[in-house]
Amino acid sequence: MRQIFIAGNWKMNGSLEANQQLIDGVKAGVSAGINAEVAVCPPAVYLPQVADLLADSDISWGGQDLSEQASGAFTGQISAAMLLEMKCKYVIVGHSERRTLNGESDQLVAEKYVAALAAGLKPILCIGELLEERESGDTEAVVARQLNAVLDKVGIEGIGAGVIAYEPVWAIGTGKTASPDQAQGVHAFIRQILANKDANVAEKVQILYGGSVKPDNASELFSKADIDGGLIGGAALDAESFLGICKAG
Ligand code: PEP
């Protein structure tokens, strides 16, 4: 049995005061008893604050991105070692906003995944198709291409050391959720790619769904055989909504 995992991606939101309130609320709800594993990914500048607030809790935290480089003249970038020093357990890799807004290629995403693994971080690898790719029937080809770029670099054991998040780009921040059956179809396809390499690893890897998950659609999504939790954007910014999703797990 795979444990349900709920990760909040705060994106470029928050402030010292707002983070404190959000974390206080989430901590109170999680300590009252939740079956799912829970993590939050704040903007990097707030990692010390979040690490401090969550130090005595069961909630993990992670970065939203990392550099593929170890150190040096890379202005604005953050290394895996730095995230580790902030006691991150996770790091999101290849989020669609970075692929589309920052031009991250499959190759670069794979290099970032390698850097995360090498440092001992657990990468959350985001893959998913654009609306036009779904409409042209290319969903599986896109998802397979994005996954294989990483698989080719780190092997099935490397994928087994991370988490996958299937995030159809057309469902992110749009209020449009993939139906539970649509999502399950792609999750099963992803797991089959992994099973073709190693059935044991495929059985263990958590595959999260992301894209407008809310408390009222979470249970049905998480009840599907191959959906092992969610990567949550907008709803992770409100303690009540985020906890509502965590409780659905
Ligand atoms: C995300 O950013 O990964 C995401 C799923 O966002 P939202 O939940 O807001 O669609």
Side-chain angles (χ1 to χ4, degrees):
M1 273 295 279
R2 296 177 294 269
Q3 192 185 16
I4 293 284
F5 175 37
I6 313 293
N9 172 15
W10 292 4
K11 310 193 187 193
M12 197 172 72
N13 293 293
S15 66
L16 289 173
E17 195 184 333
N19 302 344
Q20 168 98 48
Q21 271 184 23
L22 179 53
I23 292 284
D24 285 351
V26 172
K27 256 173 93 170
V30 168
S31 66
I34 270 179
N35 292 327
E37 182 186 353
V38 178
V40 294
C41 299
V45 71
Y46 294 128
L47 281 168
Q49 180 199 18
V50 167
D52 196 39
L53 291 171
L54 291 178
D56 60 346
S57 79
D58 291 330
I59 304 168
S60 308
W61 56 95
Q64 295 178 9
D65 179 41
L66 82 167
S67 175
E68 75 284 10
Q69 305 288 345
S71 67
F74 303 102
T75 302
Q77 297 204 44
I78 291 166
S79 72
M82 292 170 188
L83 294 176
L84 210 61
E85 213 171 9
M86 293 302 113
K87 302 193 167 52
C88 288
K89 178 173 177 186
Y90 294 99
V91 60
I92 298 170
V93 177
H95 190 278
S96 66
E97 284 152 17
R98 296 212 56 89
R99 290 180 190 261
T100 55
L101 303 176
N102 297 72
E104 292 194 4
S105 63
D106 292 342
Q107 183 62 28
L108 179 61
V109 170
E111 285 170 19
K112 289 183 173 205
Y113 193 102
V114 169
L117 274 192
L121 292 163
K122 231 172 153 59
I124 301 174
L125 172 66
C126 299
I127 56 178
E129 81 286 3
L130 303 169
L131 182 58
E132 54 267 36
E133 292 167 334
R134 173 159 285 264
E135 287 175 346
S136 61
D138 292 327
T139 297
E140 292 192 347
V142 170
V143 163
R145 190 200 72 223
Q146 293 174 335
L147 180 57
N148 283 327
V150 180
L151 198 47
D152 288 349
K153 263 214 155 37
V154 301
I156 187 67
E157 297 77 17
I159 295 290
V163 175
I164 294 172
Y166 167 57
E167 300 207 302
V169 180
W170 48 271
I172 296 180
T174 58
K176 287 185 198 157
T177 320
S179 73
D181 286 337
Q182 269 176 328
Q184 165 59 26
V186 181
H187 281 233
F189 173 73
I190 293 168
R191 204 177 299 286
Q192 188 55 52
I193 294 178
L194 305 183
N196 292 343
K197 303 273 181 196
D198 185 319
N200 269 338
V201 174
E203 200 44 44
K204 287 187 187 133
V205 173
Q206 289 160 312
I207 307 178
L208 314 184
Y209 169 77
S212 299
V213 178
K214 304 280 181 268
D216 60 359
N217 60 22
S219 305
E220 207 187 336
L221 285 160
F222 302 162
S223 70
K224 293 293 175 186
D226 290 292
I227 302 182
D228 307 314
L231 182 56
I232 316 300
L237 298 173
D238 176 77
E240 202 182 324
S241 298
F242 190 57
L243 285 168
I245 295 169
C246 295
K247 283 178 190 151

